[in-house]
Amino acid sequence: MQPISPTSLLPADLAQALLIGRIWRDGPCVVAVRGGEVVDITQTVATVAELFERGDALDIARHAPGIALGPVQALLEQALAAPASQPLLLAPCDLQAVKACGVTFAVSLLERVIEEQAGGDAARAASLRAALQMTLGGDLSALKPGSDAAQRLKQQLQQRGAWSQYMEVGIGPDAEVFTKAQPMSSVGCGAQVGLLPSSAWNNPEPEIVLAVNSRGEVLGATLGNDVNLRDIEGRSALLLGKAKDNNGSCAIGPFIRLFDEHFTLDTVRQAEVSLLIEGADDGFVLEGASFMREISRDPLDLVRQTAGQYHQYPDGFMLFLGTMFSPVKDRGAQGGGFTHHLGDRVTIASAALGALVNEVQRCDAIPPWTFGVRALYQNLARRGLL
């Protein structure tokens, strides 16, 4: 594997990008990246969640006084060299809930149904994939969830005994929205992500993640890896929590790019998200891409289905929008499909957001998560920031 260039982690139009992140300087600090320069603005806003609640969030990110920390490339170079036990670059969110949407692309719908029918057995995936594609026929990506056409397909599949709970959330009126991780538990760019030792069939899920405040306003976006254990969820959808929420199983970063005149929700709607997996022990390489224009539900619809008068998030939330990329390239035995090896390097990238890079290890072997909300407020109080 080639060394990572700090520049590759940044938006292609860095000079125009307004970025918010978190780094460790005697505790978590909120930083703004303005024109490629890093400024610590923690004296103005002690948490990212607080910044996003402010009506003048954009103005604060642009102009709040702070401590100049130099070019962002230099900071990223230090972050990539930092030991896993003492990361410099943190996930760019803090007190927000971390939510995720599932089955929002036709390809991911197909793969979830395969997992279910395979009962978590990766060896059965190839034959099930071919049979399911024959059963479903046309292109599901053109089908609007909750539409009359979707209802007719549901009835047809039920008559054939081919209906699935994943099809219900894939083409039905209600989206799947689940809790991916606890506040403060996400890891940042350069950190290790974790797999359960018992999982033998797993993969990264490259996604765009929206930053939403308590009022349901979308302020920006970043990249995320919704690390997925296919065999665990395939045994039963009721094991979703065990498959999705483990130590180091949620990576977000490197920065949140705020919406402004150069970067909008329409940029997200047209974004391409690429995935690169590089094996440390076998030289394996897998590349792929997702196109957000193929998502079955608009990002704002997913936000509305997550929060409203029926469900509040007083500290805001981060929302994974789902992925269309479930790697199926064989790694080893023919028909065995893909699964991670320890030491894999995963790079998730999009031109306007930069790149999120993480190394895959076991969740019981990487540093445990110990710095939660209480620790954050104790640290902020000690630093005189409350």
Side-chain angles (χ1 to χ4, degrees):
M1 292 185 284
Q2 295 296 316
I4 302 168
S5 164
T7 301
S8 70
L9 304 180
L10 295 164
D13 59 340
L14 175 63
Q16 298 183 127
L18 184 57
L19 309 175
I20 291 296
R22 294 167 66 240
I23 64 171
W24 185 271
R25 297 180 70 236
D26 194 30
C29 293
V30 180
V31 297
V33 182
R34 308 162 175 164
E37 296 294 313
V38 184
V39 180
D40 182 342
I41 59 171
T42 315
Q43 290 289 341
T44 302
V45 280
T47 65
V48 175
E50 177 189 348
L51 170 65
F52 290 169
E53 292 304 309
R54 297 278 295 265
D56 56 349
L58 203 60
D59 186 63
I60 290 172
R62 282 177 171 153
H63 304 299
I67 302 170
L69 301 178
V72 66
Q73 292 90 341
L75 181 142
L76 288 174
E77 189 170 1
Q78 296 175 49
L80 291 172
S85 59
Q86 295 179 308
L88 171 64
L89 187 62
L90 309 176
C93 52
D94 39 47
L95 301 177
Q96 297 94 332
V98 184
K99 308 293 286 189
C101 301
V103 202
T104 55
F105 289 85
V107 173
S108 65
L109 166 58
L110 178 66
E111 292 302 317
R112 295 293 85 76
V113 176
I114 289 167
E115 288 169 13
E116 180 184 44
Q117 294 187 1
D121 182 359
R124 298 180 57 202
S127 59
L128 285 167
R129 188 173 294 108
L132 192 58
Q133 287 171 333
M134 186 175 297
T135 298
L136 292 175
D139 181 10
L140 287 179
S141 65
L143 197 64
K144 182 179 179 181
S147 66
D148 291 342
Q151 183 62 26
R152 288 194 295 271
L153 176 60
K154 174 179 179 177
Q155 293 172 351
Q156 293 169 9
L157 292 173
Q158 285 176 325
Q159 291 169 1
R160 298 182 199 175
W163 187 246
S164 161
Q165 58 198 330
Y166 290 105
M167 292 182 186
E168 180 63 49
V169 295
I171 66 175
D174 299 316
E176 178 190 15
V177 182
F178 59 92
T179 297
K180 169 62 184 176
Q182 299 177 67
M184 298 289 294
S185 70
S186 301
V187 299
C189 184
Q192 295 172 326
V193 292
L195 304 172
L196 279 182
S198 60
S199 176
W201 187 20
N202 42 66
N203 63 272
E205 291 193 350
E207 306 188 24
I208 286 181
V209 185
L210 298 182
V212 189
N213 67 16
S214 66
R215 299 181 293 279
E217 299 165 343
V218 186
L219 280 80
T222 184
L223 297 167
N225 184 355
D226 176 15
V227 180
N228 183 45
L229 309 183
R230 301 189 70 179
D231 46 1
I232 304 295
E233 185 181 354
R235 283 163 43 205
S236 170
L238 298 180
L239 293 172
L240 181 66
K242 189 177 183 69
K244 291 288 191 179
D245 186 6
N246 301 291
N247 183 34
S249 67
C250 179
I252 299 177
F255 300 99
I256 296 169
R257 182 167 183 176
L258 297 184
F259 290 148
D260 57 15
E261 64 271 26
H262 304 294
F263 178 69
T264 69
L265 195 58
D266 282 337
T267 315
V268 171
R269 291 184 174 110
Q270 297 302 316
E272 176 182 343
V273 182
S274 67
L275 172 68
L276 172 64
I277 303 170
E278 302 169 277
D281 62 348
D282 60 356
F284 178 86
V285 175
L286 187 150
E287 296 181 84
S290 294
F291 299 91
M292 288 298 295
R293 63 177 179 269
E294 298 181 19
I295 197 168
S296 60
R297 302 179 193 269
D298 186 76
L300 285 184
D301 177 48
L302 293 172
V303 171
R304 285 191 290 266
Q305 293 213 35
T306 303
Q309 65 183 83
Y310 51 86
H311 199 167
Q312 293 79 41
Y313 294 88
D315 298 310
F317 60 97
M318 306 296 292
L319 184 63
F320 281 72
L321 295 179
T323 186
M324 68 174 289
F325 195 76
S326 293
V328 298
K329 178 181 176 181
D330 287 341
R331 187 178 197 176
Q334 185 175 356
F338 171 85
T339 197
H340 271 306
H341 287 193
L342 298 183
D344 280 356
R345 187 167 74 188
V346 178
T347 302
I348 296 167
S350 191
L353 295 171
L356 172 65
V357 180
N358 299 98
E359 177 191 325
V360 176
Q361 291 294 337
R362 284 171 43 155
C363 64
D364 60 342
I366 66 176
W369 173 45
T370 59
F371 196 92
V373 174
R374 286 190 305 116
L376 172 65
Y377 276 92
Q378 289 168 359
N379 179 275
L380 292 174
R382 178 178 60 79
R383 293 153 60 197
L385 294 167
L386 290 181

